[in-house]
Amino acid sequence: MAKEVDRRTMLKSLTISALGLGSVVAFGDLIQVFALPDGQKVALARAVILADMSRCSGCRICEMVCANLNSMGRNSTSLARVFIDKDYLKGDYQPKLCYQCADPPCLNGCPVDALQVDKKSGTYARVVNEKICIGCQSCVEACQSYFTPSRATFDAERQKAIKCHLCFGDPQCVKLCPLGVLRVERSKKGLLVGYPAISGD
Amino acid sequence: MTPKGGWVGKILRVDLTTSKITESSTFDYVPRFLGGRGLGAKICWDEVPPEVSAFDPENRLVFATGPLQGTLAPSSGRFMVLGKAPQSGPTESFCRSGVGGHFAPELKWAGYDALVVRGKADKPVYLFISDHKAEILDAAALWGLDTYQAQQVLWKLHGPKTRVMVIGRAGENRSRIACILTDTGDASGQGGFGGVMGSKNLKAIAVRGTGAVTVARPKALMQTTRHIHSLFARKPAKSNPYEPEVKGFKYNIWGGGYGRGGLSLLPGELQDLCNDSSSGYSQTPDGCFACPVSCRSRVKGPDITGGVAFCAQSYMYLESMIDQPEKGYSKITWQAAKLGDLLGINAYDLMAIIPWLADCFHEKLISEKDTGLSLGEIGSWNFISKLLNQIADRQGFGDLLAEGGQRAAAKLGGKAEKLSWMYYPRAGQFGGYREHWVYLGGFPTGYALPPLALMWVLDNRDALVSHSFISMLWGAAFTVGQNALTAVPEKISPVLRPVMKAAYGSEEAAEFLQPDGKSLNWKWAAPIVKRYHEHSLLKDSYVLCDILFPYLFNANSPNHVGDDTLESRLYSDVTGVEMSPKESFQKGEMLCTLERALAVRDGRTRQDDSFHDLYFEKQDAGGRKYKREDLEESKTEYYKLMGWDSETGKPTLATLQRLGLKDVAEEMARRGFSRS
C-alpha cells in the first residue's frame, strides 16, 4: 500500500546510504512506493545489482555480456548497461551500475512515459519501453545530472535509449562476473536505493 | 558472401613518410587468412620482401586483430604485432608477437581489424585513431617520456578510455629488444617491434572506439562462453579472491596447480606487504579483456610503481632474491621489472642478458671498468638501474646490449659467445631467443622431451607460445603428486595417454621415452609438433590466448581430456562461418606453410633448424641425451608431413598450390626457392 516517506525515514536512509552502496535499506511492510512531495508515486525496485569494487579484475565481461545479450549481438562496451570506470595506473577499477532509483530521474524526465516499472518480472526495475521511446535522450540527461556516467545511455544506431532492466529478473552480468564482484540484492518489500538517498557517485 | 559477424571490414593503412592515411578492405584477406597471425603473415608476404630490413622505412608494422576481438569471446583481448623483426638473428626475419590487455577491442570498435604502418616520419609523431578516423599528431612533447608518463599525457588529451600502445626510450633508440607497452604491463615483447616503432619515429598509437562488433549468433556465443568459463574458472571465495568458492576446483591454467596468477609463486617482502592489510600494499587479480581467468595481479603500494604483474615481466630480476635471500621477492625485484616496463625493454631477453653477464664477469671476460656496470653486485638496485638505463639510452656498453643478448655475445665472440649458448639454444641464422623450456626444470637441468626440441628448432622466436602444451605436462605432474620441477617423464606418461590421444591421435604419443627408459622416443615428435603448430596458428589468428587455448588438459575431470574444438566454436558463433575440426587444422597447416615460405624467402634453410652443440652434449636429469641424428630424422619426418621438401625443409610448389597459395608458389619459383 502506498504510504508517504516521512522525514525521519528519509534521513535514516540518507545516513545509511552514506556508508556506500553495500548498505541498501529494505523497509518493513510500510513502504512499497516512493512518493514525491508533489504526490507522484513510483513503486520501489525489488531488486538491484550491487558491486564489491575491491575485487573487480577490470575484465569487462559484465559489459560485454550485457551488450551481446541485450543489443542483439552488437558487441561493444558502448552498448552496455553496466559500466567499468578504470584508472589503469592507480589500479582503481569501479563497476558502476544502475541504482534503480527510488525516485528515478530517468523515469521522471521521460516526456512520453517510455520509462516504466517492470512489474511483470517482479523486479520493478526501471525499464525503457522501446515501442514508446522517441530517442530524445531526456532520461540520459536526467540521470547524468546526478550520476557519472549516466546509467541510461543512447543506442545511436537504433535511436533508442537503453538502460539496465535487470535482465528481467536474472541479470547475466552477475552470473558471468568471474570475480564475484556483482550480486543481486532482492526484497519483496522494495529497496530504497539510488536517488534521492544516493545522488552522485 | 560477406560473413555475418566478427570482422569490422577495414584495414587502416598509414604511411608516415607521406602522411597519407588510407583504408582497404579486410575481406581482401579474410575469412581465408582469418586474422591476427594469419592476416599479418599474408600482408608481410605481399609487402615485406627479404630485401627490406627491420629498420628500413619500408618495413611494415602490422597490428592485426582477428574475428573474435571486441566480442564477449573469452580471452579475446589479444592481438598480434607482426613485421620484419629486429630481434630475430643474426638474420632479421618475419616474426610475430602477441599482446593482451585491452587495446585490441578498442581498435575494432574504432572500425579497424588491423593497422599497417609503413614509412618514417621526419619528426616524432603519434597516431590517434577514433571511430573510422586517424590522425598523425606531433609527439615532440612525448619523446623521451617513459611509457607511463606518455600514456598519462595521451589520456589527458584524448580521454581515459583511450587505449595506447607506446614505446619507451629503448624503442626510441631502436633497441632490438624494445617492447611496445599498453597500460601497465601488457606488451608486445618478442621480435623487438618497439625498435621498429622507434625507427619510424612513432612514439605511440592511441585508439578510442565507440562502435560495435557484430556477432552472428549471440545466443550461441553466450552458451559457448558460459561453457568455457565453467571449464577454466569459478567465482572466488569470499575470504580470498585467489581461492575458488567451490572447494577443490582447480583454475585450469598451468595444469591447475598454481591457481590464479599473482606473486604467490615467489614469497618474500612484497607478498608479505600485500598480505598485510594495514601496510598500504595490495594485490588483486587482474583480467585482460573478456577473460574469466585473471592470470595476472595488479600490485600497488605507497613507494612502488604500481601495475600488473605476470610471469617473466615481474620475475625478470630473480638475481635480487639471491642477493638478499632474507627478503626473497622484494621491492627491488619488483621495481627492476617495472623499470624495464617504463623504459620499454623486453624482460625476457634481460633474463638471458643478466645471467650471461654474470658468467662473463665470473670468467673475467668483461670488467666493471669496461662496462661501467657494478658487475660485482648483480642483484642490487644499483646494478639493474644502471644496466637498464644504459640499454635504453644505448650508452657505453649498453649500446652493445641494446642489440639483444645474442647479438652482443656474437660481437664479443670467443668464450663470451660460447657462454651465451646456454641461454640461446637455437643455432643458425634464426636464433635470438632465450631458452624457455620450463618443462620439469628446463633442459639440461630438467628432462629432455623430443617434441619440445623439435618445436624449438623450427621457430624463430620463443617457440612456447602454446603455454597450454606445457600446462598439459604440468597438469599430469600435479595429478601424480609431483610438480613442474620434480616430475619425471616416466611418471606422467600414464596420465597423459588419454589426453594425448584426444589431442594428437594416439595414446602412444604420451611415451616420451623408449621402453628401457634409457633413450628418448622420437616417434611421435613430428606428428605432435605438426598438430601443435596447427593449434597455435589457429589460436593466434582467431586471436585467443595461449594460456587457455588450445584446451588440452582438464585438471578437474578424471581422465583430464581437453577439447581442442573450443576456439573454432567461438569462431563460428561470432562469424557465422562453419569451421569443422578437420577444416580448422587444414587452415592451420596452410598458415604454417605460409610462415615457412616467409622464413625460407628470408633465407632459412634446414641448417637453421638446429641447436648449438651444447644441447647434444649435455645429459638431462634422467641421464638421456638429445641425439643430433634423431633430431635430423624427426625434422625430415616433419617436413614430409607438412608436404615440404624433405631434404631442404622448403615448401614444395605442389604443396603451396594444394593449399591454395598460388601467388606464394609463383614467387617461390621465381626466386628459385621451391622445386615442384
Side-chain angles (χ1 to χ4, degrees):
Chain A
M1 291 305 289
K3 259 202 176 175
E4 229 172 87
V5 182
D6 66 25
R7 197 178 134 72
R8 254 187 71 210
T9 315
M10 265 301 287
L11 284 175
K12 187 181 162 199
S13 72
L14 282 171
T15 319
I16 294 170
S17 67
L19 300 173
L21 232 198
S23 47
V24 171
V25 189
F27 284 90
D29 46 10
L30 288 177
I31 304 163
Q32 290 178 348
V33 171
F34 188 82
L36 302 171
D38 67 4
Q40 199 188 338
K41 288 166 190 168
V42 180
L44 290 177
R46 296 177 178 193
V48 68
I49 302 170
L50 304 179
D52 172 2
M53 62 172 261
S54 70
R55 33 178 61 192
C56 177
S57 83
C59 68
R60 310 187 78 170
I61 286 173
C62 51
E63 293 175 297
M64 296 311 292
V65 171
C66 182
N68 180 60
L69 205 68
N70 296 317
S71 290
M72 288 147 291
R74 282 178 298 147
N75 278 226
S76 171
T77 51
S78 302
L79 289 167
R81 290 104 171 126
V82 291
F83 312 85
I84 305 290
D85 262 4
K86 294 176 77 172
D87 183 323
Y88 285 82
L89 287 196
K90 284 192 191 144
D92 198 5
Y93 303 166
Q94 296 195 35
K96 292 190 169 170
L97 298 117
C98 173
Y99 292 105
Q100 311 294 348
C101 297
D103 178 19
C106 55
L107 189 144
N108 293 326
C110 179
V112 294
D113 291 339
L115 267 136
Q116 302 173 345
V117 173
D118 175 24
K119 288 188 179 161
K120 206 170 148 194
S121 73
T123 63
Y124 286 55
R126 289 74 175 99
V127 300
V128 178
N129 184 333
E130 286 205 350
K131 286 185 193 139
I132 303 175
C133 178
I134 54 169
C136 70
Q137 303 191 57
S138 299
C139 54
V140 179
E141 280 162 34
C143 184
Q144 88 198 350
S145 55
Y146 301 102
F147 303 109
T148 313
S150 167
R151 307 308 200 255
T153 55
F154 189 59
D155 179 346
E157 193 182 317
R158 304 188 67 238
Q159 292 287 306
K160 300 283 178 193
I162 53 176
K163 77 169 288 297
C164 174
H165 47 57
L166 296 172
C167 294
F168 308 102
D170 187 17
Q172 296 299 301
C173 55
V174 176
K175 274 206 165 147
L176 270 84
C177 170
L179 271 296
V181 172
L182 306 177
R183 67 184 173 90
V184 187
E185 178 80 18
R186 294 177 201 271
S187 166
K188 282 197 176 144
K189 315 265 163 64
L191 296 155
L192 190 55
V193 283
Y195 182 81
I198 301 169
S199 56
D201 291 303
Chain B
M1 203 180 73
T2 310
K4 288 202 185 85
W7 301 277
V8 289
K10 290 267 188 292
I11 295 173
L12 179 67
R13 290 175 171 271
V14 176
D15 187 334
L16 292 174
T17 305
T18 62
S19 298
K20 226 174 122 184
I21 295 173
T22 53
E23 288 177 350
S24 64
S25 170
T26 315
F27 297 108
D28 295 345
Y29 302 93
V30 305
R32 208 163 147 229
F33 296 97
L34 295 178
R37 189 168 161 187
L39 171 62
K42 178 62 170 133
I43 290 173
C44 289
W45 175 267
D46 293 342
E47 302 176 31
V48 190
E51 297 76 24
V52 171
S53 65
F55 294 144
D56 186 327
E58 275 307 294
N59 189 16
R60 304 294 197 269
L61 182 69
V62 182
F63 280 24
T65 74
L68 303 187
Q69 275 52 57
T71 76
L72 171 64
S75 86
S76 63
R78 295 189 72 83
F79 73 104
M80 302 297 290
V81 177
L82 311 104
K84 187 67 69 76
Q87 187 178 358
S88 135
T91 298
E92 294 170 347
S93 55
F94 166 79
C95 199
R96 81 266 172 203
S97 171
V99 199
H102 295 260
F103 182 92
E106 209 67 42
L107 186 63
K108 289 279 289 275
W109 298 331
Y112 300 107
D113 294 301
L115 161 70
V116 182
V117 182
R118 66 188 287 188
K120 179 187 177 180
D122 54 10
K123 58 178 178 30
V125 295
Y126 74 97
L127 196 61
F128 178 55
I129 304 166
S130 69
D131 291 347
H132 305 283
K133 209 176 76 201
E135 295 167 274
I136 300 167
L137 299 168
D138 181 31
L142 297 175
W143 206 254
L145 294 187
D146 72 39
T147 51
Y148 279 24
Q149 290 165 339
Q151 290 184 93
Q152 280 171 304
V153 173
L154 291 169
W155 287 329
K156 217 165 207 175
L157 284 168
H158 302 295
K161 285 188 188 289
T162 305
R163 300 273 58 83
V164 180
M165 285 286 282
V166 64
I167 55 170
R169 296 212 304 270
E172 290 174 11
N173 293 317
R174 301 193 206 184
S175 167
R176 290 179 187 269
I177 53 167
C179 67
I180 315 171
L181 191 107
T182 179
D183 297 324
T184 64
D186 297 301
S188 157
Q190 306 232 3
F193 291 110
V196 174
M197 259 176 88
S199 76
K200 296 186 176 308
N201 264 330
L202 181 60
K203 175 71 179 178
I205 296 160
V207 55
R208 170 77 182 120
T210 62
V213 176
T214 303
V215 166
R217 301 169 188 162
K219 281 197 180 139
L221 177 62
M222 272 294 280
Q223 255 176 11
T224 310
T225 297
R226 292 179 91 123
H227 176 58
I228 291 171
H229 280 208
S230 76
L231 293 173
F232 286 95
R234 287 290 179 277
K235 288 184 198 283
K238 293 244 175 332
S239 55
N240 182 351
Y242 293 90
E243 291 292 330
E245 175 184 61
V246 181
K247 253 199 160 160
F249 179 84
K250 297 178 181 118
Y251 290 104
N252 234 330
I253 54 171
W254 310 128
Y258 293 120
R260 286 197 147 115
L263 297 169
S264 54
L265 289 184
L266 293 179
E269 183 191 24
L270 191 56
Q271 205 190 322
D272 292 345
L273 285 168
C274 289
N275 290 341
D276 172 3
S277 57
S278 67
S279 67
Y281 295 80
S282 65
Q283 67 163 332
T284 319
D286 196 283
C288 284
F289 180 82
C291 181
V293 174
S294 291
C295 68
R296 319 168 306 166
S297 271
R298 65 182 182 280
V299 179
K300 46 185 171 180
D303 58 351
I304 57 169
T305 309
V308 297
F310 175 69
C311 198
Q313 173 238 344
S314 55
Y315 296 164
M316 177 197 100
Y317 196 39
L318 297 184
E319 287 79 4
S320 64
M321 297 179 66
I322 301 162
D323 190 50
Q324 287 185 295
E326 70 286 359
K327 284 199 171 174
Y329 189 106
S330 66
K331 284 194 251 180
I332 290 179
T333 323
W334 173 261
Q335 285 300 91
K338 276 293 139 191
L339 183 58
D341 285 345
L342 293 174
L343 297 170
I345 308 173
N346 178 3
Y348 218 77
D349 208 52
L350 290 165
M351 289 178 80
I353 287 176
I354 298 167
W356 169 68
L357 286 177
D359 293 351
C360 290
F361 181 64
H362 185 73
E363 297 284 329
K364 300 196 168 43
L365 303 169
I366 53 173
S367 71
E368 293 199 333
K369 198 166 154 268
D370 301 341
T371 59
L373 295 168
S374 12
L375 293 162
E377 43 177 299
I378 290 180
S380 69
W381 176 248
N382 186 23
F383 167 77
I384 194 72
S385 57
K386 229 182 240 172
L387 174 75
L388 298 185
N389 277 294
Q390 264 197 14
I391 291 176
D393 294 334
R394 281 190 175 270
Q395 196 187 68
F397 193 61
D399 188 37
L400 182 65
L401 298 178
E403 294 289 295
Q406 179 181 280
R407 280 186 167 81
K411 192 100 186 248
L412 291 184
K415 197 166 182 192
E417 186 177 13
K418 274 200 174 139
L419 287 171
S420 77
W421 293 342
M422 186 67 211
Y423 307 103
Y424 297 93
R426 199 160 42 235
Q429 300 292 304
F430 291 74
Y433 283 86
R434 186 200 189 276
E435 168 271 335
H436 184 187
W437 290 28
V438 229
Y439 172 67
L440 315 186
F443 179 84
T445 47
Y447 294 93
L449 279 198
L452 290 182
L454 187 59
M455 275 171 210
W456 262 84
V457 298
L458 289 167
D459 219 314
N460 70 336
R461 49 159 274 176
D462 182 346
L464 285 185
V465 278
S466 196
H467 283 91
S468 72
F469 186 88
I470 293 299
S471 296
M472 172 181 75
L473 304 177
W474 285 9
F478 294 128
T479 304
V480 297
Q482 302 185 321
N483 67 37
L485 298 175
T486 58
V488 294
E490 292 92 322
K491 297 270 194 247
I492 64 171
S493 285
V495 179
L496 287 174
R497 289 179 74 93
V499 175
M500 299 208 47
K501 180 169 191 335
Y504 303 105
S506 168
E507 292 202 339
E508 259 188 76
E511 302 300 334
F512 301 121
L513 308 177
Q514 296 292 352
D516 63 2
K518 287 186 181 144
S519 53
L520 300 170
N521 177 15
W522 281 84
K523 187 178 165 198
W524 287 89
I528 288 175
V529 174
K530 178 173 186 278
R531 179 53 46 88
Y532 165 82
H533 281 156
E534 290 159 1
H535 282 152
S536 300
L537 260 305
L538 283 172
K539 176 259 300 166
D540 285 345
S541 301
Y542 282 152
V543 178
L544 290 167
C545 179
D546 48 289
I547 304 284
L548 282 70
F549 301 107
Y551 173 54
L552 301 176
F553 187 88
N554 184 352
N556 293 302
S557 73
N559 69 0
H560 304 295
V561 168
D563 179 356
D564 63 358
T565 67
L566 295 174
E567 305 93 301
S568 295
R569 274 165 64 186
L570 285 172
Y571 171 78
S572 295
D573 293 345
V574 169
T575 61
V577 179
E578 297 306 328
M579 181 69 87
S580 69
K582 193 177 160 204
E583 230 178 319
S584 75
F585 299 138
Q586 281 168 350
K587 185 78 87 179
E589 185 184 354
M590 180 270 281
L591 295 174
C592 187
T593 298
L594 172 61
E595 281 196 347
R596 183 69 180 186
L598 271 152
V600 167
R601 194 177 66 170
D602 283 339
R604 191 156 190 153
T605 66
R606 181 183 181 124
Q607 282 67 46
D608 298 307
D609 300 345
S610 191
F611 292 128
H612 292 297
D613 294 344
L614 179 79
Y615 281 77
F616 302 107
E617 289 161 2
K618 297 254 183 201
Q619 284 189 345
D620 78 353
R624 293 171 290 262
K625 277 183 179 181
Y626 288 129
K627 288 193 188 127
R628 205 180 272 278
E629 57 272 26
D630 287 338
L631 177 66
E632 290 304 317
E633 213 175 288
S634 191
K635 275 160 61 179
T636 301
E637 195 197 339
Y638 174 86
Y639 299 154
K640 275 189 195 157
L641 286 174
M642 293 299 292
W644 303 347
D645 187 296
S646 62
E647 271 170 55
T648 64
K650 293 171 185 171
T652 64
L653 294 182
T655 295
L656 291 168
Q657 262 146 1
R658 171 175 62 81
L659 297 171
L661 296 166
K662 200 174 152 234
D663 50 339
V664 177
E666 279 164 11
E667 192 182 330
M668 290 294 271
R670 191 166 56 76
R671 286 183 179 262
F673 282 130
S674 278
R675 292 181 281 184
S676 42

